[in-house]
């Protein structure tokens, strides 16, 4: 495939534009593995790159922090032509051309073999959001969480990480409470397995209270900010919160009281530089016990490259629920 299409961010006279262009292999960066991309996915981070041009090291640039596809060729014998693979995180889509392209070239160290039990399409319905949600569950369970300990709160539950976390936890038998700013999404969240749906305002700290009534055995937090403040103040003794996002802000006001008075755990989730051993382990779980029960049209919206720019804006405005994937190859 000498020519292919990609969504390219260009900049001229301090004005950046995003458009679908025809490229050649010579336009791709150096790397060990050349991949025919079947699907990518659209994430909040992609919107920060594509709309606000944050994290972009140079122009022209292809966004897309996720991709799944088939190896065309590899200079490393770890992978061979025909292998199905996943690439997420690292510098993909930020410092390195990403997945919004029919062809990508990446370092071998970034590549994960597609596990048995997942299709390429399912892998991108999951994508970084699914990896992040699964890492959150993994870390919570590593810290002793079991379904018998009580309800688990999922903040931002209609977003990518939140939706998938609700689904995963419910499948594992946890009593899930989902918080959302969209009151119309009650039916959607109940289908994913949430036992209770509460408003975003109910889990937002308004008065910087360090401890409140104990409510949650654990929480998945892709939001941050005052939502995280509230969560820390309401965790049960030895409870944990796994934080992976900042859409609610980067500032968190708390005290030592929840930590020394209740022994709570604040767990940071980093899907970008997650060690490969753990990354592969979690992807194997995503094909097995953490594979969501609703990887279907309830969770996913499928678009083409030409539609991605509008989707990026909708994500920033909070108008996208679940996951949005980009179909790049008609073979699957």
């Amino acid at each position: 495939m000498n020519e292919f299409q990609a969504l390219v961010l260009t900049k001229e006279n301090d004005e950046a534009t995003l458009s679908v262009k025809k490229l050649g292999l010579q336009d791709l960066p150096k790397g060990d593995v050349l991949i025919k991309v079947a699907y990518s996915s659209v994430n909040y981070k992609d919107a920060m790159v594509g709309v606000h041009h944050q994290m972009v090291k140079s122009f022209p640039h292809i966004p897309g922090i996720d991709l799944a596809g088939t190896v065309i060729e590899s200079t490393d014998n770890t992978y061979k032509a025909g292998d199905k693979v996943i690439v997420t995180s690292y510098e993909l889509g930020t410092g390195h051309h990403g997945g919004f392209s029919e062809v990508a070239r990446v370092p071998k160290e970034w590549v994960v073999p597609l596990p048995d039990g997942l299709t390429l399409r399912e892998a991108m319905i999951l994508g970084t959001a699914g990896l992040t949600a699964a890492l959150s569950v993994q870390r919570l369970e590593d810290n002793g969480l079991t379904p018998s300990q009580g309800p688990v709160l999922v903040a931002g539950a209609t977003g990518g990480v939140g939706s998938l976390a609700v689904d995963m936890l419910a499948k594992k038998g946890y009593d899930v409470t989902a918080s959302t700013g969209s009151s119309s999404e009650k039916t959607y969240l109940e289908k994913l397995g949430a036992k209770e749906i509460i408003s975003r305002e109910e889990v937002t700290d308004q008065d910087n209270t360090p401890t409140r009534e104990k409510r949650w055995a654990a929480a998945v937090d892709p939001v941050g900010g005052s939502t995280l403040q509230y969560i820390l103040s309401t965790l049960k003794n030895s409870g944990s919160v796994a934080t992976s996002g900042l859409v609610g802000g980067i500032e968190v006001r708390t005290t030592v009281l929840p930590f020394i008075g209740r022994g709570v755990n604040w767990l940071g989730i980093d899907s970008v530089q997650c060690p490969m051993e753990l990354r592969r382990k979690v992807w194997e779980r995503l094909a097995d016990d953490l594979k969501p029960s609703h990887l279907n049209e309830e969770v996913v919206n499928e678009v083409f490259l030409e539609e991605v720019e509008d989707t990026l804006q909708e994500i920033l405005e909070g108008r996208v629920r679940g996951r949005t994937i980009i179909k790049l190859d008609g073979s699957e």
Side-chain angles (χ1 to χ4, degrees):
M1 182 179 284
N2 293 322
E3 282 194 341
F4 55 90
Q5 287 193 317
L7 188 65
V8 184
L9 184 64
T10 57
K11 191 172 186 180
E12 188 173 345
N13 299 325
D14 292 329
E15 184 173 340
T17 58
L18 198 59
S19 60
V20 177
K21 294 182 179 296
K22 262 190 180 176
L23 301 180
L25 295 181
Q26 72 277 3
D27 297 309
L28 295 175
K30 293 181 179 179
D32 310 292
V33 186
L34 187 68
I35 300 166
K36 184 178 182 182
V37 182
Y39 292 92
S40 184
S41 68
V42 190
N43 302 273
Y44 184 81
K45 193 172 184 179
D46 295 317
M48 299 303 290
V49 170
V51 177
H52 295 314
H53 320 132
Q54 294 184 6
M55 296 167 282
V56 179
K57 291 187 176 179
S58 62
F59 295 87
H61 176 70
I62 301 172
I65 65 170
D66 294 343
L67 67 85
T70 304
V71 174
I72 298 172
E73 62 183 27
S74 173
T75 60
D76 180 83
N77 58 14
T78 305
Y79 300 99
K80 63 182 185 300
D83 287 349
K84 293 185 176 181
V85 296
I86 305 166
V87 187
T88 68
S89 320
Y90 300 103
E91 292 191 344
L92 188 73
T94 55
H96 187 100
H97 283 342
F100 294 175
S101 174
E102 293 176 336
V103 179
R105 186 186 285 124
V106 300
K108 64 182 184 297
E109 292 84 4
W110 296 1
V111 181
V112 175
L114 181 74
D116 292 339
L118 282 181
T119 65
L120 293 173
R121 185 176 189 272
E122 289 173 333
M124 284 297 96
I125 297 173
L126 293 165
T128 288
L131 177 63
T132 301
L135 281 168
S136 299
V137 175
Q138 178 78 48
R139 290 290 306 281
L140 292 173
E141 291 182 339
D142 288 347
N143 275 266
L145 180 65
T146 62
S148 64
Q149 292 176 344
V152 177
L153 174 67
V154 178
T158 57
V161 174
S163 294
L164 295 170
V166 169
D167 203 331
M168 291 175 196
L169 288 163
K171 180 182 178 182
K172 295 277 292 178
Y174 289 94
D175 185 350
V176 180
T177 296
S179 76
T180 177
S182 305
S183 58
S184 61
E185 300 290 8
K186 183 174 185 291
T187 300
Y188 168 70
L189 292 169
E190 287 175 341
K191 283 183 179 179
L192 296 184
K195 293 288 181 64
E196 182 181 9
I197 292 90
I198 59 178
S199 71
R200 177 193 299 158
E201 289 72 23
E202 191 173 335
V203 296
T204 301
D205 182 12
Q206 305 286 356
D207 55 12
N208 298 328
T209 300
T211 56
R212 294 177 171 82
E213 179 185 352
K214 302 170 188 176
R215 296 186 66 179
W216 321 108
V220 174
D221 167 40
V223 179
S226 57
T227 296
L228 176 56
Q229 290 173 203
Y230 168 85
I231 292 170
L232 289 169
S233 73
T234 51
L235 287 172
K236 294 182 177 182
N237 287 67
S238 300
S240 301
V241 53
T243 297
S244 59
L246 46 70
V247 295
I250 61 172
E251 184 176 322
V252 179
R253 296 183 179 182
T254 187
T255 73
V256 298
L257 293 180
F259 304 97
I260 65 174
R262 297 179 179 178
V264 307
N265 305 291
W266 182 6
L267 310 174
I269 304 301
D270 174 18
S271 61
V272 177
Q273 297 296 335
C274 174
M276 183 53 75
E277 182 179 357
L278 176 59
R279 186 182 295 263
R280 288 196 180 204
K281 174 183 177 180
V282 171
W283 272 111
E284 291 290 342
R285 290 194 68 185
L286 282 167
D288 188 20
D289 68 307
L290 289 183
K291 184 176 182 178
S293 301
H294 302 87
L295 287 184
N296 53 40
E297 299 313 312
E298 288 294 331
V299 176
V300 64
N301 176 44
E302 190 172 297
V303 300
F304 295 98
L305 273 180
E306 293 79 7
E307 302 171 275
V308 171
E309 186 173 7
D310 289 340
T311 303
L312 295 174
Q313 190 62 51
E314 289 168 1
I315 285 179
L316 289 177
E317 295 170 1
R319 295 191 288 118
V320 174
R321 82 173 186 191
R323 299 286 288 143
T324 298
I325 62 172
I326 307 167
K327 187 175 178 65
L328 292 152
D329 176 11
S331 64
E332 184 180 305

